[in-house]
């Protein structure tokens, strides 16, 4: 108890010393203003995107249902839209959402990518990153921690008070823990109000009704950022304790901050993209088209592949022409063509995704050398604003597109006659009531288990960094000198 009392005394003394520094209040005021702006910006982005997505998803559905009686194959080409709503935690972590589209046009025989990204309508400043609460917590608060902690021990050495402290029976372990607690207590003055605003805003946006899954994501989001900040508090004190002067400590800490938050993240992305080069969008689509043409063209009646199917059907049903078949031949061929084109697309997509997966795995592996990359990946995963969530949206949209196309083909097979109408007759069509058979698209975000599974490397990395911190504290407590 006496030992713990000494550590709290050291922490309280450092806290009071920091709070006497006027520069601390100016910096805190600046960061506080950024946090308020980030909260407002996140709220505006969240409400704007979700209101827009809901509006146009509803309009897309109404347009689909309001189509008149027509041939179902024409409906398949008329298409539909899939919109992705933002998750509640995207208010605090924008992640990669500004660079990915949130709407996909769905049509038969063709797989489109997401469009209407915020980056596509913004200027070049967006590439520097938007100001979000997560960005302030992950980049600016560590810089503030280094600013208030760089002289926590080095100043004591310069003033000659370090020897005096040790002569009173205090050891290095007590001093280091006390100084870390002092820096943590100061940072909590900013972190706790931020959390209160964060949680209240989060609850308000959801009308105070939340699921267990969202609650767990929120708690983990807070917990991991808390651990992340404590890590930087400890680094600041350890570097200060190992430095001869406060100036050297400050220079070393700024260097660490630049490497962790600026240099390594961008270098890692560039190296990953260079080692695992992905094909361009033009080449990707061109390769798919080539493979589909090798299999045949379902819209060409003389295509060898589909002519073989026609001959086998005529033989099986013992008829002389497709007009005599008991089902719509064109719908059957379109069903087969959709199966082939979708299979080829998915094969090429899986190859492409493996390349991107290697790039992302390389980046996540670097998190063992950089805690910022670990917390950034984990933060985006919990907020479902990461790359995996974007791919998950595209896959759900593709599943919906395939279901839509095949349902329309099935309706054509069942209800459309093989006999071509005369020039004076109405076009072959079915009742518009069938359009309601296709349910509206709704994107289901990844649950907490999927997030933790995909971000296991980041979690292990954070655990290892904390473990390393304890090791460094023990080593420092045994080897540091007062002079």
């Amino acid at each position: 108890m006496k030992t713990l009392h000494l550590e709290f005394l050291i922490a309280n003394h450092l806290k009071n010393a920091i709070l006497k520094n006027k520069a601390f209040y100016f910096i805190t005021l600046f960061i506080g203003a950024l946090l308020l702006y980030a909260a407002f910006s996140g709220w505006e982005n969240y409400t704007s995107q979700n209101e827009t997505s809901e509006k146009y998803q509803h309009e897309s559905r109404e347009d689909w249902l309001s189509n008149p009686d027509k041939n179902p194959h024409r409906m398949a080409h008329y298409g539909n839209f899939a919109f992705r709503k933002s998750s509640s935690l995207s208010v605090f972590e924008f992640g990669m959402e500004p660079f990915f589209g949130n709407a996909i046009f769905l049509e038969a025989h063709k797989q489109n990518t997401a469009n209407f990204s915020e980056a596509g309508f913004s200027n070049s400043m967006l590439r520097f990153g938007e100001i979000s609460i997560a960005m302030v917590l992950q980049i600016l608060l560590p810089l503030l921690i280094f600013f208030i902690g760089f002289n926590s021990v080095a100043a004591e050495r310069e003033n000659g008070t370090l020897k005096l402290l040790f002569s009173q029976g205090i050891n290095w372990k007590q001093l280091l823990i006390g100084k870390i607690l002092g820096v943590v207590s100061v940072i909590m003055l900013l972190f706790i109000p931020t959390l209160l605003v964060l949680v209240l805003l989060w609850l308000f946006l959801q009308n105070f009704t939340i699921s267990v899954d969202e609650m767990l994501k929120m708690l983990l989001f807070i917990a991991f950022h808390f651990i992340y900040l404590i890590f930087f508090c400890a680094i600041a004190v350890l570097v200060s304790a190992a430095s001869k002067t406060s100036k050297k400590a400050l220079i070393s800490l700024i260097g660490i901050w630049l490497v962790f938050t600026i240099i390594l993240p961008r270098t890692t992305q560039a190296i990953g993209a260079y080692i695992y080069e992905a094909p361009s969008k033009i080449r990707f689509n061109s390769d798919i088209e080539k493979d589909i043409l090798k299999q045949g063209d379902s819209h060409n009646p003389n295509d060898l592949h589909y002519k073989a199917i026609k001959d086998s059907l005529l033989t099986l049903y013992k008829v002389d022409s497709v007009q005599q078949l008991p089902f719509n031949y064109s719908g059957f061929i379109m069903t087969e063509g959709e199966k082939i084109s979708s299979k080829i697309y998915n094969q090429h997509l899986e190859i492409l995704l493996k390349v991107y997966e290697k790039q992302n795995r390389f980046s996540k592996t670097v998190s063992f050398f950089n805690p910022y990359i670990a917390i950034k990946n984990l933060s985006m995963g919990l907020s479902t604003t990461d790359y995996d969530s974007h791919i998950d949206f595209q896959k759900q949209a593709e599943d919906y597109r395939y279901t839509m196309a095949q349902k329309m083909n099935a309706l054509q097979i069942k209800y459309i006659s093989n006999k071509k109408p005369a020039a004076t007759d109405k076009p072959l069509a079915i009742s518009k009531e069938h359009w309601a058979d296709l349910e509206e698209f709704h994107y289901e975000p990844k649950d907490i288990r999927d997030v933790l599974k995909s971000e296991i490397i980041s979690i292990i990395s954070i655990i290892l960094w904390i473990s390393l911190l304890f090791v460094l504290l023990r080593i420092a407590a045994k080897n540091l000198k007062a002079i």
Side-chain angles (χ1 to χ4, degrees), residues 254-312:
I254 290 176
I256 291 171
W257 180 82
L258 285 172
V259 170
F260 278 174
T261 63
I262 308 297
I263 299 173
L264 261 184
R266 284 155 180 76
T267 304
T268 300
Q269 293 172 1
I271 293 174
Y274 176 77
I275 296 174
Y276 306 105
E277 186 179 1
S280 65
K281 185 176 180 180
I282 295 175
R283 179 184 164 189
F284 175 74
N285 291 331
S286 175
D287 289 343
I288 292 174
E289 289 295 328
K290 287 178 182 177
D291 284 353
I292 290 175
L293 289 175
K294 288 178 183 178
Q295 292 291 328
D297 183 1
S298 58
H299 288 79
N300 180 8
N302 297 318
D303 184 272
L304 294 176
H305 175 77
Y306 292 98
K307 186 177 183 301
I309 294 176
K310 182 181 74 173
D311 293 340
S312 63

Side-chain angles (χ1 to χ4, degrees), residues 328-367:
N328 183 269
Y329 170 73
S330 179
F332 181 87
I333 291 299
M334 292 304 153
T335 300
E336 180 68 16
E338 193 66 56
K339 285 180 182 178
I340 292 173
S341 62
S342 295
K343 182 180 179 182
I344 292 172
Y345 172 80
N346 289 329
Q347 288 173 345
H348 281 268
L349 180 62
E350 285 302 316
I351 294 172
L352 180 64
L353 292 183
K354 285 180 180 178
V355 175
Y356 288 142
E357 185 181 345
K358 289 177 181 177
Q359 293 180 0
N360 290 331
R361 193 183 299 121
F362 177 81
S363 176
K364 290 179 179 180
T365 302
V366 175
S367 67

Side-chain angles (χ1 to χ4, degrees), residues 111-134:
Q111 292 82 4
N112 298 309
T113 54
N115 291 306
F116 309 112
S117 68
E118 188 177 341
F121 299 99
S122 301
N123 56 36
S124 59
M125 287 299 293
L126 185 62
R127 71 183 59 190
F128 292 98
E130 290 186 302
I131 299 175
S132 65
I133 290 178

Side-chain angles (χ1 to χ4, degrees), residues 44-60:
E44 189 175 46
N45 286 343
Y46 174 82
T47 54
S48 174
Q49 180 167 322
N50 283 359
E51 285 174 1
T52 302
S53 295
E54 286 183 5
K55 175 185 176 183
Y56 288 109
Q57 188 72 73
H58 178 73
E59 286 187 6
S60 176

Side-chain angles (χ1 to χ4, degrees), residues 19-176:
L19 294 179
K20 288 178 182 178
N21 190 340
K22 292 182 180 180
F24 168 74
Y25 291 99
F26 285 112
I27 296 175
T28 302
L29 186 64
F30 173 71
I31 292 180
L34 281 179
L35 283 168
L36 289 175
Y37 172 78
F40 173 76
S41 178
W43 170 79
E44 189 175 46
N45 286 343
Y46 174 82
T47 54
S48 174
Q49 180 167 322
N50 283 359
E51 285 174 1
T52 302
S53 295
E54 286 183 5
K55 175 185 176 183
Y56 288 109
Q57 188 72 73
H58 178 73
E59 286 187 6
S60 176
R61 180 65 175 176
E62 290 298 313
D63 288 344
W64 174 268
L65 295 176
S66 63
N67 270 274
D69 298 350
K70 64 171 63 175
N71 190 300
H73 187 67
R74 289 184 61 196
M75 279 298 290
H77 280 287
Y78 178 83
N80 213 327
F81 276 94
F83 288 89
R84 177 177 182 248
K85 292 177 64 177
S86 294
S87 68
S88 57
L89 279 176
S90 66
V91 175
F92 318 114
E93 172 61 89
F94 299 156
M96 304 179 80
E97 270 196 351
F99 303 95
F100 290 138
N102 62 349
I104 302 178
F105 177 59
L106 311 173
E107 57 181 322
H109 313 308
K110 187 177 181 182
Q111 292 82 4
N112 298 309
T113 54
N115 291 306
F116 309 112
S117 68
E118 188 177 341
F121 299 99
S122 301
N123 56 36
S124 59
M125 287 299 293
L126 185 62
R127 71 183 59 190
F128 292 98
E130 290 186 302
I131 299 175
S132 65
I133 290 178
M135 188 272 277
V136 175
L137 293 177
Q138 295 162 12
I139 297 179
L140 296 185
L141 273 190
L143 186 60
L144 175 61
I145 289 170
F146 286 171
F147 172 75
I148 65 178
F150 77 95
N151 62 352
S152 57
V153 180
E156 302 274 11
R157 180 180 281 113
E158 288 176 309
N159 297 334
T161 56
L162 200 56
K163 287 182 178 180
L164 184 61
L165 286 172
F166 291 139
S167 67
Q168 293 176 347
I170 296 175
N171 57 44
W172 270 110
K173 181 180 179 182
Q174 293 169 335
L175 181 66
L176 292 175

